[in-house]
Amino acid sequence: MRISGTAYRTIWPLPSGAVRVIDQSRLPFEFVTLDLASLEDAAHAIRTMVVRGAPLIGATAAYGLALALRADASDERIAEAARALRATRPTAVNLAWALERVRRSIAAVPVAARAAAAFAEAGRICDEDVEQCRAIGLHGAKIIRETAAKARRRVNVLTHCNAGWLACVDWGTALAPIYAAHDAGIAVHVWVDETRPRNQGASLTAFELGAHGVPHTVIVDNLGGHLMQHGEVDLVIVGSDRTTGAGDVCNKVGTYLKALAARDNGVPFYAALPVSTIDWSLADGRAIEIEARDALEVTHVTGRTDAGVIERVRVVPEASAALNLAFDVTPGRLVTGIITERGVCAASRAGLLQLYPERAA
Ligand code: MRU
């Protein structure tokens, strides 16, 4: 996507052998990049959410493994580096998927050629993610087009967290259909949940929709239900960090409550995700490990003062405990459909197998 006229991906390799990412911890106030030169750099970037969003976490882990192999590509080093990267964030399955894919791609490669082979595989993971997100956009845009044709007015889509191009390598998952619809001339407006505690909606989704010229309004997380009751939401589209083979959708905490409100108000609720987000080994979303993050993200908020200084301020009494579970699971029965690179299906095992018949075995 373009920022001030320049086309960007969220991650790309440099001739020096390092990998460059957009530092998302500085958005929306500063658009700056950061170079990752080692396994430790990549692990730190994922853990501290310099990069975040399931597909981008996977892509960064893939490059992180490649970076780790530059000095030592022994079997022991591969295992140790994969363990370190895996421990950074537990919920997005794209991370384990990407590491496994790089490991498989270099398993039979001579040690001296492994780092180069790992970089090449990481590059393929990125390229495929871009194509998959583009396809998700085209499939999802059909839903927006049909909604617009019925409504005969602007389509209002509500989204939670950031599942746009910043969360992927390009295009995004939940936002890809919105970009495709907007670019095709369909009038679309986005209700952007601010997404406490890290405010990925307010800071990242609003930033990227604004950069692309998509009309949007930031709302507090709890407004969605009211807007749905008043006919102000035509569709909900969210991303996912892990979707079970039975169609349960794990995504940023608060997604489940949006799905409940959508069901109560007859609003279609879609999850958009690439195949790398599907955890075929799980049939029940309750088995997904939910990341517990630092309570500081709840007790404090970060923002820019009117004087232009980025500051963190406390909003919770010193003596109060705070709990910061980063994701929740929306059961497939509350999901109208899953939009993948292969099309739209029911959020069930049967639905997913229609799109991925090769997984039946
Ligand atoms: O904690 P984050 O910012 O990594 O969480 C991101 C989300 O929950 C996204 O909705 C999800 O990763 C889908 S990204 C296309």
Side-chain angles (χ1 to χ4, degrees):
M1 302 293 273
R2 289 182 183 277
I3 298 293
S4 308
T6 304
Y8 282 94
R9 284 184 173 188
T10 53
I11 186 166
W12 63 99
L14 299 173
S16 68
V19 174
R20 188 161 284 174
V21 296
I22 297 166
D23 184 349
Q24 301 192 22
S25 68
R26 311 272 286 272
L27 288 170
F29 307 115
E30 293 170 40
F31 186 85
V32 288
T33 58
L34 187 72
D35 292 352
L36 312 178
S38 65
L39 162 72
E40 291 71 27
D41 287 353
H44 184 259
I46 297 171
R47 197 179 308 108
T48 59
M49 294 173 68
V50 161
V51 291
R52 28 64 53 204
L56 179 56
I57 290 170
T60 309
Y63 274 121
L65 189 50
L67 288 168
L69 304 188
R70 287 200 297 179
D72 171 5
S74 63
D75 289 349
E76 296 72 31
R77 176 66 173 159
I78 294 172
E80 174 196 61
R83 233 186 345 263
L85 288 160
R86 239 186 133 126
T88 53
R89 294 196 72 189
T91 302
V93 75
N94 304 60
L95 195 162
W97 170 88
L99 289 172
E100 192 44 41
R101 192 167 142 171
V102 174
R103 285 181 81 163
R104 245 186 292 121
S105 77
I106 60 175
V109 173
V111 172
R114 280 180 176 174
F119 269 101
E121 187 67 6
R124 280 190 288 274
I125 286 174
C126 289
D127 290 346
E128 284 172 26
D129 188 68
V130 174
E131 284 318 308
Q132 288 173 342
C133 286
R134 194 195 307 275
I136 287 170
L138 297 178
H139 293 302
K142 279 191 211 140
I143 297 169
I144 298 178
R145 185 185 292 281
E146 284 161 17
T147 308
K150 269 191 222 140
R152 294 170 172 272
R153 56 158 173 75
R154 181 177 88 160
V155 176
N156 289 306
V157 181
L158 184 143
T159 193
H160 192 67
C161 196
N162 173 261
W165 74 275
L166 289 170
C168 304
V169 179
D170 206 350
W171 292 107
T173 55
L175 296 195
I178 291 165
Y179 289 129
H182 173 83
D183 291 351
I186 300 165
V188 55
H189 163 264
V190 186
W191 296 113
V192 178
D193 278 357
E194 63 175 343
T195 320
R196 272 283 281 154
R198 298 270 313 202
N199 289 321
Q200 290 95 327
S203 54
L204 304 177
T205 300
F207 171 81
E208 61 166 278
L209 289 175
H212 199 76
V214 179
H216 63 281
T217 306
V218 178
I219 55 174
V220 296
D221 291 325
N222 294 324
L223 186 63
H226 171 85
L227 291 175
M228 290 182 207
Q229 285 175 326
H230 290 266
E232 297 284 349
V233 181
D234 298 302
L235 294 172
V236 179
I237 311 180
V238 298
S240 174
D241 290 83
R242 190 185 297 224
T243 287
T244 68
D248 292 345
V249 173
C250 181
N251 190 48
K252 181 54 58 190
V253 67
T255 301
Y256 172 49
L257 293 179
K258 289 296 132 68
L260 285 172
R263 174 55 55 95
D264 192 44
N265 290 284
V267 174
F269 180 99
Y270 289 93
L273 49 114
V275 64
S276 51
T277 298
I278 304 173
D279 185 342
W280 298 98
S281 74
L282 293 182
D284 185 341
R286 286 171 299 186
I288 295 173
E289 182 178 353
I290 301 293
E291 178 181 14
R293 293 186 61 85
D294 197 325
L296 198 97
E297 292 179 348
V298 176
T299 57
H300 291 66
V301 288
T302 301
R304 188 172 65 183
T305 67
D306 288 343
V309 183
I310 310 279
E311 278 188 16
R312 195 176 69 194
V313 296
R314 177 174 267 277
V315 290
V316 173
E318 299 276 356
S320 296
L323 176 65
N324 188 8
L325 299 183
F327 300 95
D328 62 23
V329 176
T330 300
R333 68 187 154 76
L334 296 177
V335 179
T336 309
I338 293 180
I339 308 168
T340 82
E341 71 282 353
R342 292 202 186 169
V344 183
C345 70
S348 63
R349 182 169 161 77
L352 284 167
L353 287 181
Q354 262 175 4
L355 291 186
Y356 301 97
E358 70 274 21
R359 301 298 311 198

